[in-house]
Amino acid sequence: MKRIAFTLMLLFYCISAFAAKVDTVQIPSAAMNKTYKAAIAFPNAYAKSKASFPVLYLLHGGYGHFDDWLSKTPDKSLVKNLADQYNIIIVMPEGEIFSYYVDSPVDPGSKFETYIIREVIPFIDSKYRTVNDKKGRLITGLSMGGYGSLYLSTRHPDLFAAAGSMSGALDPNMTTWKLPPDRFEMLTKMLDKIWGPMTPDTYLQYSVVNMADQIRRNGLPLVINIGVDDFLLEPNRELHRRLVYNHTPHDYSEQPGGHTWEFWQNALPGHLLFFSKVLKANGTYVL
Amino acid sequence: MKRIAFTLMLLFYCISAFAAKVDTVQIPSAAMNKTYKAAIAFPNAYAKSKASFPVLYLLHGGYGHFDDWLSKTPDKSLVKNLADQYNIIIVMPEGEIFSYYVDSPVDPGSKFETYIIREVIPFIDSKYRTVNDKKGRLITGLSMGGYGSLYLSTRHPDLFAAAGSMSGALDPNMTTWKLPPDRFEMLTKMLDKIWGPMTPDTYLQYSVVNMADQIRRNGLPLVINIGVDDFLLEPNRELHRRLVYNHTPHDYSEQPGGHTWEFWQNALPGHLLFFSKVLKANGTYVL
Amino acid sequence: MKRIAFTLMLLFYCISAFAAKVDTVQIPSAAMNKTYKAAIAFPNAYAKSKASFPVLYLLHGGYGHFDDWLSKTPDKSLVKNLADQYNIIIVMPEGEIFSYYVDSPVDPGSKFETYIIREVIPFIDSKYRTVNDKKGRLITGLSMGGYGSLYLSTRHPDLFAAAGSMSGALDPNMTTWKLPPDRFEMLTKMLDKIWGPMTPDTYLQYSVVNMADQIRRNGLPLVINIGVDDFLLEPNRELHRRLVYNHTPHDYSEQPGGHTWEFWQNALPGHLLFFSKVLKANGTYVL
Amino acid sequence: MKRIAFTLMLLFYCISAFAAKVDTVQIPSAAMNKTYKAAIAFPNAYAKSKASFPVLYLLHGGYGHFDDWLSKTPDKSLVKNLADQYNIIIVMPEGEIFSYYVDSPVDPGSKFETYIIREVIPFIDSKYRTVNDKKGRLITGLSMGGYGSLYLSTRHPDLFAAAGSMSGALDPNMTTWKLPPDRFEMLTKMLDKIWGPMTPDTYLQYSVVNMADQIRRNGLPLVINIGVDDFLLEPNRELHRRLVYNHTPHDYSEQPGGHTWEFWQNALPGHLLFFSKVLKANGTYVL
């Protein structure tokens, strides 16, 4: 009997897998007078249920767009499978190629902190059956998106249960990165458009590394990964050291690899596992 | 239709969970002229299948015994559930209270390297439907068991696909630990029985920290966790630094917490996830 | 001929050594309505010259008083000999037993920042033939005095050419120190009188570790020593890491030993050598 | 009276300074069937005395020769002045451009360990009034010479009282250095002539970083400097960490700057100060 049920189960699971929903939606920005797309991966269970589901905001990196996590991972169904496995709605918003997910101090047309916090999140909460509460809201991302995740969750701790970073560009001051001089020049030119002219002090207010004490006060569970060959190793190590120094609990991992989609594909499941423990502990996990 | 199958599936899963097999067996040691017990958690799928299953050797810590992982974790079904989830047979052998899983240089009655490598592993492979090959054999443990896992896998890389350590006592030289003087005295007395009288040079040959170059040569995937409040933090950091220095790929995490069952219960699922990726890559993972 | 001159030189040197001047003076504090003593070691050359001499402010540690550097070093003539060797006036002011050289936020009777900066320095400059300028003013100290040196020079960079710290208590938040619990309790009680009730955030504004960016902006040459067995190792390492991270030039040494007068006697000559190079470079060194 | 003697003293000091002796000698090598030059700076006091003087062996770096320390420092009289100030004979032997001061495993014509230890030292001791004993023999050097100093003193601890390293190339495995790829290629080609074809394991036996436990056993006082911008930072940090880990007393400094003569000119006086304390403690210092 078990065997028959098991086989049926396997059959329906396979069918369900092929029917996993990933939608593309338009989320307007009044602040930027523009509309941007977002992708949303719904767990299978979402359509079959009346429960409210937790939401993970999954941010792309520099040079990227909203659909990176669906198109650039070696396993194209990574995000969909994780949404199913953990019963979490995964929202992938647009962050433009170099917004850093901040409200730019120099470009009024780049207000991605406002967009994510005041426009995307309310849009998602109003349209879908989400846990519309800090308890059921998570955020993580890669590179510029890892920065964005920690920047936004540190400035808005009332909105998130936990946050993560994969290869996060945690310090926009690129003198802390390991870049060859020509690449440093080129990136500086591009990023001047967002940050304005660069001084170490201009950067301080935007550096997540410099927010270690605010991170301590907030007390959000954090999961941080960095590859030992990544040019962003130092900012990640520096943040970790400051969080150890000021006794802030956080998960920190150094792993093989560098700034690659292979690394991020390998790291994301660990973030979902980490987040699922947080959700189980605060009662919003959907079984 | 989906809903009915889903419900049936849930029902049988629950029944299966209550029916997860954990056996206790006797594994004799010719080398020590003794017989010790071991616990074995079989995945549900084992009884329903003809496939060969990978095996994880899960080592207990100091002051402990074979059944620690079944009796001391807050969630008593942790190991059984992981065996089910990942289709891995989990063997928990006896390591006695302070054997360090080595062949003691001074106590001929304590030969736990020989026991695990030449007696337990062949016993398990002969009695059960295991992947009787390096590709399907994994090892990890906590504290003294974390040391044992890395010590044994480093000395017998032909036997294992990957290894892990949770709060590993990676350097038996306890001057590298953060112990209060009275505890240091007391442990020294106990461990003299295994190591003999202590000098920094006696310890070097047994220190996993000192094996960083052999670890590099072996190339086994490794997953290492340590709590930032653990008295074993320094040996773990030192091994990590040497493995970064000599370019040995390995996963290393510093997490909140100390030398507690709560920490190990939190770390073990991450080890199983890590091992499952290794098994999937080498073709021995049972779907 | 050389030999005769050499012998004469040796003779007079010896006579001069025995005649090295160390004065004790009274330096009143209007801010605290009290008068405190200070010791001053004058180079031999001071009395024989009309030149203006640079001044080193040498601060004592916790539980100490103005004459510590003359009475507690194994070699009681250490400070006098260094004053002679480098032609620097060495002023040893009173810092009371636990003032931390700050203006206490809770005890109006403890205003040692005001005392040192606005009362002691002007007193010395008015009474003696000093280089009354940032260029000829140096500061260093041990333990609480190392903290004081860096705290005062960071807040008053216009007053000093360079600063040093030996075993500095660089973070008044004692959870960053390696203290046994009973000592932690006892020191906390004592220091509450100066700092007020303790929170991590109260301490931030007084932590030299937290001033790494101001230190960078100031650009003062710094020389920092810490013993690897010192309970203050972590705050010193943390400051050093932050100064490396933000590219602030500074001399940092880890040496054998702990929080002992032997350590400080060994470190002070290196500080004088360091300071002499600064003075030679800015033209205030007296040959 | 003091003033007259002081003036006479000053006069003779100046005369003496201009008369400081730096000799160039030929020191043959039977092992290499060659004769190499060496420079020797004698303290003023040497000629006026019958005492035996301690000797410092000061090694040059890669691409260099015996007279580097006399010709490449900004202050050309640095070494002579230090010899005078500390009454130490400073010997600057030839190490050829890339010998690493080892007996090459592949080039029988490059035996600089034998040369320094068995040929130069006995030559100096036989020809000059030296302290012909471990107690009065010191060694230090820059870059390849810093490596040589630690390599030779670690392998011959019976010959030296203390050793130093400035920007030492402490690990000949250049994958541990921060080199641009083209420079790495070029140096690899050159150094293959000394080391033979490169593997991580070939290097281990020659890596000073890998000798941390022998260094511990030897117990020699060590003084190590590295600039934070030096491409050799990592090997120096790794050695320091291992020496802290295994409780080996040593002086370690991270300072501003990189691989420059300015850095070495700044570091050498500190080494002489360090060595003078060792000599004063063991009774061989000449007053």
Side-chain angles (χ1 to χ4, degrees):
Chain A
M1 248 307 255
K2 278 192 195 165
R3 197 168 286 166
I4 297 170
F6 181 80
T7 313
L8 273 170
M9 173 180 89
L10 191 58
L11 192 63
F12 277 117
Y13 176 79
C14 294
I15 297 169
S16 308
F18 291 135
K21 249 168 60 89
V22 176
D23 284 357
T24 303
V25 298
Q26 308 263 10
I27 307 184
S29 171
M32 292 188 284
N33 195 25
K34 249 179 158 165
T35 296
Y36 287 106
K37 290 184 185 170
I40 311 178
F42 292 91
N44 279 346
Y46 183 80
K48 307 173 203 153
S49 166
K50 296 216 184 325
S52 295
F53 282 68
V55 181
L56 167 63
Y57 291 86
L58 178 56
L59 308 183
H60 66 79
Y63 285 111
H65 294 286
F66 78 98
D67 56 347
D68 275 17
W69 275 102
L70 299 172
S71 58
K72 293 193 171 162
T73 48
D75 174 4
K76 301 287 173 277
S77 53
L78 174 76
V79 171
K80 294 178 293 181
N81 290 342
L82 289 169
D84 282 338
Q85 182 182 357
Y86 289 98
N87 280 336
I88 294 174
I89 300 169
I90 301 181
V91 176
M92 291 152 279
E94 178 65 41
E96 266 292 4
I97 57 169
F98 275 129
S99 76
Y100 265 86
Y101 300 94
V102 305
D103 286 353
S104 165
V106 298
D107 176 2
S110 189
K111 285 183 160 55
F112 278 85
E113 174 176 21
T114 295
Y115 181 56
I116 303 292
I117 298 296
R118 299 196 198 291
E119 296 173 337
V120 171
I121 291 178
F123 177 95
I124 296 295
D125 285 338
S126 68
K127 286 208 74 176
Y128 305 105
R129 235 172 39 243
T130 65
V131 175
N132 186 352
D133 183 85
K134 167 190 168 80
K135 282 187 171 183
R137 205 175 292 113
L138 309 150
I139 186 166
T140 191
L142 70 90
S143 196
M144 179 179 88
Y147 167 89
S149 162
L150 297 188
Y151 179 81
L152 295 176
S153 60
T154 300
R155 287 163 62 81
H156 305 277
D158 51 308
L159 289 183
F160 299 96
S165 165
M166 293 169 270
S167 316
L170 303 183
D171 193 335
N173 181 345
M174 293 185 292
T175 63
T176 65
W177 304 11
K178 241 184 300 193
L179 288 178
D182 53 341
R183 194 141 175 240
F184 177 89
E185 293 303 323
M186 185 268 292
L187 279 171
T188 302
K189 258 196 189 158
M190 289 223 65
L191 290 165
D192 266 2
K193 300 175 191 163
I194 291 297
W195 298 119
M198 295 160 29
T199 77
D201 292 309
T202 309
Y203 280 135
L204 270 184
Q205 43 176 327
Y206 292 98
S207 171
V208 165
V209 171
N210 195 42
M211 296 176 185
D213 289 296
Q214 186 57 47
I215 291 173
R216 169 180 51 80
R217 284 185 284 267
N218 291 342
L220 258 60
L222 298 179
V223 55
I224 298 167
N225 300 62
I226 186 68
V228 291
D229 297 327
D230 198 309
F231 56 86
L232 289 166
L233 181 64
E234 267 319 298
N236 280 266
R237 283 185 163 172
E238 184 67 16
L239 177 64
H240 171 58
R241 290 185 295 245
R242 294 193 192 190
L243 295 179
V244 171
Y245 182 76
N246 73 8
H247 309 303
T248 303
H250 65 292
D251 267 45
Y252 174 76
S253 297
E254 291 190 1
Q255 296 166 300
H259 213 69
T260 65
W261 276 103
E262 192 174 66
F263 184 91
W264 304 318
Q265 166 158 304
N266 187 59
L268 187 59
H271 282 219
L272 269 292
L273 176 62
F274 180 89
F275 293 144
S276 72
K277 292 180 193 172
V278 173
L279 300 178
K280 284 174 182 170
N282 75 20
T284 58
Y285 190 71
V286 177
L287 288 159
Chain B
M1 248 308 252
K2 278 193 197 165
R3 200 168 285 166
I4 297 170
F6 181 81
T7 313
L8 272 171
M9 171 179 92
L10 190 60
L11 193 64
F12 276 117
Y13 176 77
C14 296
I15 296 170
S16 307
F18 291 137
K21 250 167 59 89
V22 177
D23 284 357
T24 302
V25 299
Q26 307 263 11
I27 307 184
S29 171
M32 292 188 283
N33 195 24
K34 250 181 159 166
T35 295
Y36 287 106
K37 289 184 186 171
I40 311 178
F42 292 91
N44 278 347
Y46 182 80
K48 306 172 203 154
S49 165
K50 295 211 185 324
S52 295
F53 282 69
V55 182
L56 166 63
Y57 291 86
L58 178 56
L59 308 183
H60 66 78
Y63 285 112
H65 294 287
F66 78 97
D67 56 349
D68 276 15
W69 276 101
L70 299 171
S71 58
K72 296 194 169 161
T73 48
D75 173 5
K76 301 286 174 277
S77 52
L78 173 76
V79 172
K80 293 178 293 180
N81 290 343
L82 289 170
D84 283 339
Q85 181 180 356
Y86 289 99
N87 279 336
I88 294 174
I89 300 169
I90 300 181
V91 176
M92 290 152 280
E94 177 67 40
E96 267 293 5
I97 57 169
F98 275 127
S99 76
Y100 265 87
Y101 300 95
V102 304
D103 287 352
S104 165
V106 299
D107 178 3
S110 190
K111 284 183 161 53
F112 278 86
E113 175 176 20
T114 295
Y115 181 56
I116 303 294
I117 297 297
R118 298 196 199 292
E119 296 173 337
V120 171
I121 290 178
F123 177 96
I124 296 295
D125 286 336
S126 69
K127 285 208 74 174
Y128 305 104
R129 233 171 44 241
T130 64
V131 175
N132 186 353
D133 183 85
K134 166 188 169 83
K135 283 187 171 186
R137 204 175 293 111
L138 309 150
I139 186 166
T140 191
L142 69 91
S143 196
M144 179 179 87
Y147 167 88
S149 162
L150 296 188
Y151 179 81
L152 295 176
S153 60
T154 298
R155 288 163 62 80
H156 306 278
D158 51 307
L159 290 183
F160 299 96
S165 165
M166 292 169 270
S167 316
L170 304 183
D171 193 335
N173 182 344
M174 292 184 293
T175 62
T176 64
W177 305 11
K178 243 186 297 194
L179 289 177
D182 53 343
R183 196 144 174 238
F184 178 89
E185 292 304 323
M186 185 268 292
L187 279 171
T188 301
K189 259 194 189 159
M190 290 224 63
L191 290 164
D192 267 2
K193 300 174 193 167
I194 290 297
W195 299 119
M198 295 163 27
T199 76
D201 292 308
T202 308
Y203 281 134
L204 270 185
Q205 43 177 326
Y206 292 98
S207 171
V208 165
V209 171
N210 195 43
M211 297 177 185
D213 288 295
Q214 187 57 49
I215 291 173
R216 169 181 50 79
R217 284 185 283 269
N218 292 343
L220 257 60
L222 298 179
V223 55
I224 297 167
N225 301 62
I226 186 69
V228 290
D229 297 327
D230 197 309
F231 55 86
L232 289 166
L233 182 62
E234 267 319 298
N236 280 266
R237 281 184 164 173
E238 184 66 14
L239 177 64
H240 170 58
R241 290 186 294 245
R242 295 192 192 192
L243 295 178
V244 172
Y245 183 76
N246 73 8
H247 308 302
T248 304
H250 65 292
D251 266 45
Y252 173 76
S253 296
E254 293 190 359
Q255 296 164 300
H259 213 69
T260 66
W261 277 104
E262 192 174 64
F263 184 91
W264 304 319
Q265 164 159 305
N266 188 60
L268 187 60
H271 282 219
L272 269 294
L273 176 61
F274 180 90
F275 292 145
S276 72
K277 292 180 195 174
V278 174
L279 300 178
K280 283 174 183 171
N282 74 20
T284 59
Y285 190 71
V286 176
L287 287 160
Chain C
M1 246 306 258
K2 280 194 194 163
R3 199 167 285 164
I4 297 169
F6 181 80
T7 313
L8 272 171
M9 175 177 89
L10 192 61
L11 193 64
F12 276 116
Y13 174 79
C14 294
I15 295 169
S16 306
F18 291 137
K21 246 165 65 88
V22 177
D23 284 357
T24 303
V25 298
Q26 308 263 8
I27 307 184
S29 171
M32 293 187 283
N33 196 24
K34 249 179 161 169
T35 295
Y36 287 107
K37 289 185 187 170
I40 311 178
F42 292 90
N44 278 348
Y46 182 80
K48 308 174 202 152
S49 167
K50 294 216 186 320
S52 295
F53 282 69
V55 181
L56 166 63
Y57 291 86
L58 177 57
L59 307 183
H60 67 78
Y63 285 111
H65 293 288
F66 77 99
D67 56 349
D68 276 16
W69 276 102
L70 299 171
S71 58
K72 294 193 171 164
T73 47
D75 173 4
K76 301 288 174 277
S77 52
L78 173 77
V79 173
K80 294 179 292 181
N81 290 344
L82 289 170
D84 283 338
Q85 181 180 356
Y86 289 99
N87 280 335
I88 294 174
I89 300 169
I90 301 181
V91 176
M92 290 151 280
E94 178 65 41
E96 267 292 6
I97 56 168
F98 275 128
S99 76
Y100 264 87
Y101 300 94
V102 304
D103 286 352
S104 165
V106 298
D107 177 2
S110 190
K111 285 184 161 54
F112 278 85
E113 175 177 21
T114 295
Y115 181 56
I116 303 292
I117 297 296
R118 298 196 199 291
E119 296 173 335
V120 171
I121 290 177
F123 177 96
I124 296 293
D125 285 338
S126 69
K127 285 208 73 174
Y128 305 104
R129 237 172 39 242
T130 64
V131 175
N132 186 353
D133 184 83
K134 167 189 168 85
K135 282 187 171 182
R137 204 176 292 114
L138 308 150
I139 186 166
T140 191
L142 71 90
S143 196
M144 179 179 89
Y147 167 89
S149 162
L150 296 188
Y151 179 81
L152 295 176
S153 59
T154 299
R155 288 163 63 80
H156 306 277
D158 51 308
L159 289 183
F160 299 96
S165 165
M166 291 169 271
S167 316
L170 302 183
D171 193 337
N173 182 344
M174 294 185 291
T175 62
T176 65
W177 306 10
K178 244 185 298 195
L179 289 178
D182 53 343
R183 194 142 175 240
F184 178 90
E185 293 304 322
M186 185 268 292
L187 279 170
T188 302
K189 260 197 189 155
M190 290 223 65
L191 290 164
D192 268 1
K193 301 174 191 165
I194 290 298
W195 298 119
M198 295 162 29
T199 76
D201 291 309
T202 309
Y203 282 133
L204 271 184
Q205 44 178 322
Y206 292 98
S207 172
V208 164
V209 171
N210 195 43
M211 295 177 186
D213 288 297
Q214 187 57 47
I215 291 174
R216 167 179 54 79
R217 285 184 282 268
N218 292 343
L220 258 61
L222 298 180
V223 55
I224 296 167
N225 300 63
I226 186 69
V228 290
D229 297 327
D230 198 310
F231 56 87
L232 289 166
L233 181 63
E234 266 320 296
N236 280 266
R237 282 184 164 174
E238 183 66 15
L239 178 65
H240 170 57
R241 290 185 295 245
R242 294 192 192 191
L243 294 179
V244 172
Y245 183 76
N246 72 10
H247 310 302
T248 303
H250 65 292
D251 266 46
Y252 173 76
S253 296
E254 293 190 358
Q255 295 165 299
H259 213 68
T260 66
W261 277 102
E262 193 174 62
F263 184 91
W264 302 319
Q265 165 158 304
N266 187 60
L268 186 61
H271 282 219
L272 268 293
L273 176 62
F274 180 90
F275 293 144
S276 71
K277 292 181 194 174
V278 174
L279 300 179
K280 283 175 182 172
N282 74 22
T284 59
Y285 191 70
V286 177
L287 288 159
Chain D
M1 243 311 252
K2 279 192 195 166
R3 199 167 285 164
I4 297 170
F6 181 80
T7 313
L8 272 171
M9 174 178 90
L10 191 60
L11 193 64
F12 276 117
Y13 175 78
C14 294
I15 297 169
S16 307
F18 290 135
K21 245 167 63 88
V22 176
D23 284 358
T24 302
V25 298
Q26 307 263 9
I27 307 184
S29 171
M32 292 188 283
N33 195 25
K34 248 179 161 171
T35 296
Y36 287 106
K37 289 184 186 171
I40 311 178
F42 292 91
N44 278 347
Y46 182 80
K48 308 173 202 155
S49 165
K50 295 213 183 325
S52 295
F53 282 69
V55 181
L56 167 62
Y57 291 87
L58 178 56
L59 308 182
H60 67 78
Y63 285 111
H65 294 288
F66 78 97
D67 57 348
D68 274 17
W69 276 101
L70 299 172
S71 58
K72 293 196 172 161
T73 48
D75 173 4
K76 302 287 174 277
S77 53
L78 173 76
V79 171
K80 295 178 292 182
N81 290 342
L82 288 170
D84 283 339
Q85 181 180 357
Y86 289 99
N87 279 336
I88 294 175
I89 300 169
I90 301 181
V91 176
M92 291 152 281
E94 178 65 42
E96 268 292 7
I97 56 167
F98 274 128
S99 77
Y100 263 87
Y101 300 95
V102 304
D103 286 352
S104 166
V106 299
D107 177 3
S110 190
K111 285 184 159 55
F112 278 85
E113 175 176 19
T114 296
Y115 181 56
I116 303 294
I117 298 296
R118 300 195 198 291
E119 296 174 336
V120 171
I121 290 177
F123 177 94
I124 295 296
D125 285 337
S126 70
K127 284 209 75 176
Y128 305 104
R129 232 172 43 241
T130 65
V131 175
N132 186 352
D133 183 84
K134 168 190 169 81
K135 282 187 171 181
R137 203 175 294 114
L138 308 150
I139 186 166
T140 191
L142 70 91
S143 197
M144 179 179 88
Y147 167 89
S149 162
L150 296 188
Y151 179 81
L152 295 177
S153 60
T154 299
R155 288 164 62 81
H156 306 278
D158 52 309
L159 290 183
F160 299 96
S165 164
M166 291 168 271
S167 316
L170 303 184
D171 193 335
N173 182 343
M174 291 184 294
T175 62
T176 65
W177 305 12
K178 243 186 297 193
L179 289 177
D182 53 342
R183 192 138 178 244
F184 178 90
E185 294 303 322
M186 185 268 293
L187 279 170
T188 302
K189 257 194 191 161
M190 289 225 65
L191 290 165
D192 267 1
K193 300 174 192 166
I194 290 299
W195 298 118
M198 297 162 27
T199 76
D201 291 309
T202 310
Y203 282 134
L204 270 184
Q205 44 177 324
Y206 292 98
S207 171
V208 165
V209 171
N210 196 42
M211 297 176 185
D213 288 295
Q214 186 57 47
I215 290 173
R216 169 179 51 79
R217 284 185 282 269
N218 291 343
L220 257 60
L222 298 179
V223 55
I224 297 167
N225 299 62
I226 185 69
V228 290
D229 297 327
D230 197 310
F231 55 86
L232 289 166
L233 182 63
E234 269 317 297
N236 281 266
R237 282 184 163 173
E238 184 66 16
L239 178 64
H240 171 57
R241 290 185 295 246
R242 295 191 192 192
L243 295 179
V244 171
Y245 183 76
N246 73 8
H247 309 303
T248 304
H250 65 292
D251 267 46
Y252 174 76
S253 295
E254 292 191 0
Q255 295 166 300
H259 213 69
T260 66
W261 277 103
E262 193 175 63
F263 184 91
W264 303 318
Q265 164 157 306
N266 188 59
L268 187 60
H271 282 219
L272 269 293
L273 177 62
F274 180 90
F275 293 144
S276 72
K277 292 181 193 174
V278 174
L279 300 178
K280 283 174 181 170
N282 74 19
T284 59
Y285 190 70
V286 176
L287 287 160

